[in-house]
Amino acid sequence: MRFQRPLVPGRLIRRYKRFLADVRLEDGTEVTAHCPNPGAMLGLTEPGLRVWLEPNDDPRRKLGFAWRLAELAGGHWAGVDAGLANRVVAEALAEGRVPALAGHDRVRPEVRYAARSRVDFLLSGAGQPDTYLEVKNVHLRREGDRAEFPDCVTARGARHMRDLAEMVAAGHRAAVLFLVQRTDCGRFGLAADLDPGYAEAARASAAAGVVFLCHATRIGPEGVTLAQALPVDLG
């Protein structure tokens, strides 16, 4: 998934009201950028962090920049835009680059299911059972190379776990794909201390037959793409 416009580097001044970030560009100009991430963004909001913004000239948008990337220690990167996760996965599914989900010939996004939910992707066809796929964006790392989800309480996320388990009980296949938008992680686990309810729901859905997957990403100023599978530990 390539960015539409060349990114502009700067230094983070502050992130506030969840969806706003003040940034000082390299020429000294201070701008307010859209922060497309509703999470706590632990470890990614320190003042002075080198960040990369995507400019836009759409008169319908209130802000002229959107925050896309953050530079990390050791030459690593983190993707800030939570909405990119679905686009990256959609591209990978279309190109057959998710081996655990191969074999379907139709991929539909945002399909209604369960009582009051939408699944990120419904995979069907080619003689395979329907697969309900939920995608979760991951950018939290606190210890070693372990990526974690979630970074704050998500009642909606816990509900999705229960909804997926219901699909398995109805005879379908269901899966969760955690997309790690950090290049300094080599494994995945649940942040049970931050949201015990989500961890409990995830483990229960796994016991019910929901498949848990995780993939790394390749990240740079040009774009974000799916990389190798990472081991998942729900313990």
Side-chain angles (χ1 to χ4, degrees), residues 166-223:
E166 289 180 10
M167 294 301 101
V168 173
H172 305 294
R173 187 177 184 227
V176 186
L177 194 159
F178 295 95
L179 189 76
V180 180
Q181 281 204 73
R182 294 185 68 117
T183 61
D184 57 357
C185 295
R187 56 198 174 105
F188 172 81
L190 297 172
D193 59 319
L194 298 181
D195 189 350
Y198 180 84
E200 180 181 358
R203 291 166 184 152
S205 68
V210 176
V211 176
F212 281 73
L213 309 169
C214 181
H215 273 264
T217 49
R218 299 180 187 89
I219 302 175
E222 296 79 23

Side-chain angles (χ1 to χ4, degrees), residues 124-210:
S124 59
Q128 300 268 14
D130 287 351
T131 298
Y132 290 78
L133 175 63
E134 190 72 28
V135 176
K136 299 298 183 185
N137 178 70
V138 181
H139 54 254
L140 175 62
R141 181 186 70 85
R142 296 183 291 176
E143 182 179 354
D145 66 346
R146 186 176 189 262
E148 297 179 284
F149 183 90
D151 70 348
C152 59
V153 174
T154 170
R156 181 171 174 265
R159 188 184 80 237
H160 287 162
M161 295 300 99
R162 293 188 289 269
D163 290 341
L164 292 176
E166 289 180 10
M167 294 301 101
V168 173
H172 305 294
R173 187 177 184 227
V176 186
L177 194 159
F178 295 95
L179 189 76
V180 180
Q181 281 204 73
R182 294 185 68 117
T183 61
D184 57 357
C185 295
R187 56 198 174 105
F188 172 81
L190 297 172
D193 59 319
L194 298 181
D195 189 350
Y198 180 84
E200 180 181 358
R203 291 166 184 152
S205 68
V210 176

Side-chain angles (χ1 to χ4, degrees), residues 96-125:
R97 292 191 286 109
V98 187
L101 299 172
H104 299 85
D105 57 19
R106 187 180 184 192
V107 179
R108 287 183 288 162
E110 294 292 325
V111 176
R112 289 187 179 276
Y113 82 119
R116 52 191 182 96
S117 294
R118 288 179 181 268
V119 72
D120 289 321
F121 297 100
L122 176 59
L123 286 60
S124 59

Side-chain angles (χ1 to χ4, degrees), residues 44-106:
L44 295 176
T45 59
E46 293 83 358
L49 181 71
R50 185 169 166 86
V51 300
W52 291 72
L53 310 181
E54 184 173 21
N56 79 80
D57 54 6
D58 188 341
R60 295 171 297 179
R61 296 186 179 181
K62 295 181 179 180
L63 300 174
F65 295 89
W67 184 4
R68 299 297 185 216
L69 304 178
E71 285 192 43
L72 307 174
H76 289 288
W77 296 87
V80 169
D81 188 348
L84 284 185
N86 281 30
R87 294 168 60 187
V88 170
V89 172
E91 180 180 82
L93 290 172
E95 297 173 356
R97 292 191 286 109
V98 187
L101 299 172
H104 299 85
D105 57 19
R106 187 180 184 192

